[in-house]
Amino acid sequence: IDANQMAETLSGYSAKEMLGRSLHELGMMVTNENAKVQIVLGQANQAVATGPDRFTLTQKSGDSIIVEASTYPMQREEGNSILVVARDVTEQEMAQQILQESEQKFRNVTESTADAIISSSSDGEIISWNHAAEKLFLYDKAEIIGENVTRIIPAAHLETHREAISHFLESGSTR
């Protein structure tokens, strides 16, 4: 390995400590990702650019980070080498996991309630429809998702609905 300042920051090792050593020698690779790393390095050794791929690295401190890395084969006077461009995506990965957990909680709540819960986009397209809505409106989720919410609003209330939506989109307020 040869490393720049960002590689030092990501790994916690100095460039001098990394010089000539592999990620495995430094103890940076998570064991269950060895096969994935070997595939990526094998492709790069065959002059095939790879990535972006996500890997978990163990820093010198013992902390783990998630990096997104791409590899690029390079021909240099000293011989062939692989340029690895990596960035820390730990916070992004954690935020994605929190979002997925939140979405799962929302689905669990909406599917377990006895109340009809319907979500629509700003242009009125139905994007979620729970089991209670199926019972109340007698439309299966598969047939109503993607339809306009006005399909389930009685004609006598359509104008009131349109005015309320227009007000909400302009002001952000439901009142």
Side-chain angles (χ1 to χ4, degrees):
I1 295 178
D2 191 6
N4 65 8
Q5 187 174 359
M6 183 53 73
E8 291 179 330
T9 300
L10 286 177
S11 70
Y13 290 94
S14 69
K16 186 176 180 180
E17 290 174 296
M18 288 187 272
L19 187 62
R21 296 175 70 193
S22 72
L23 294 174
H24 294 287
E25 290 172 315
L26 292 168
M28 292 180 65
M29 293 308 309
V30 174
T31 305
N32 66 351
E33 293 186 342
N34 283 340
K36 182 178 175 182
V37 171
Q38 292 306 315
I39 290 169
V40 168
L41 292 177
Q43 290 173 329
N45 281 327
Q46 294 176 10
V48 176
T50 67
D53 295 293
R54 291 197 175 189
F55 300 97
T56 302
L57 295 181
T58 303
Q59 296 174 306
K60 184 177 182 179
S61 65
D63 293 333
S64 293
I65 62 169
I66 300 167
V67 296
E68 187 173 77
S70 297
T71 65
Y72 304 93
M74 295 178 54
Q75 294 181 354
R76 300 169 60 178
E77 288 180 19
E78 307 86 42
N80 293 338
S81 62
I82 301 168
L83 172 67
V84 179
V85 178
R87 65 185 181 106
D88 185 349
V89 294
T90 306
E91 287 183 20
Q92 178 186 358
E93 191 77 18
M94 290 171 57
Q96 182 67 30
Q97 183 176 351
I98 290 168
L99 177 61
Q100 287 173 346
E101 289 169 3
S102 176
E103 289 173 346
Q104 186 59 49
K105 287 177 186 175
F106 172 77
R107 280 191 294 277
N108 290 345
V109 167
T110 59
E111 287 305 322
S112 64
T113 185
D115 297 325
I117 299 177
I118 302 159
S119 299
S120 66
S121 64
S122 60
D123 63 355
E125 180 183 336
I126 296 172
I127 55 176
S128 72
W129 183 268
N130 72 348
H131 186 66
E134 288 181 337
K135 288 182 177 181
L136 180 65
F137 294 103
L138 303 176
Y139 286 106
D140 289 332
K141 183 185 286 190
E143 69 180 305
I144 199 72
I145 296 289
E147 295 292 325
N148 196 288
V149 73
T150 56
R151 183 168 174 181
I152 61 168
I153 298 174
H157 299 287
L158 279 176
E159 189 56 35
T160 303
H161 169 75
R162 287 188 180 110
E163 289 171 3
I165 292 297
S166 178
H167 174 73
F168 175 74
L169 292 174
E170 289 173 12
S171 68
S173 172
T174 57
R175 301 194 187 257

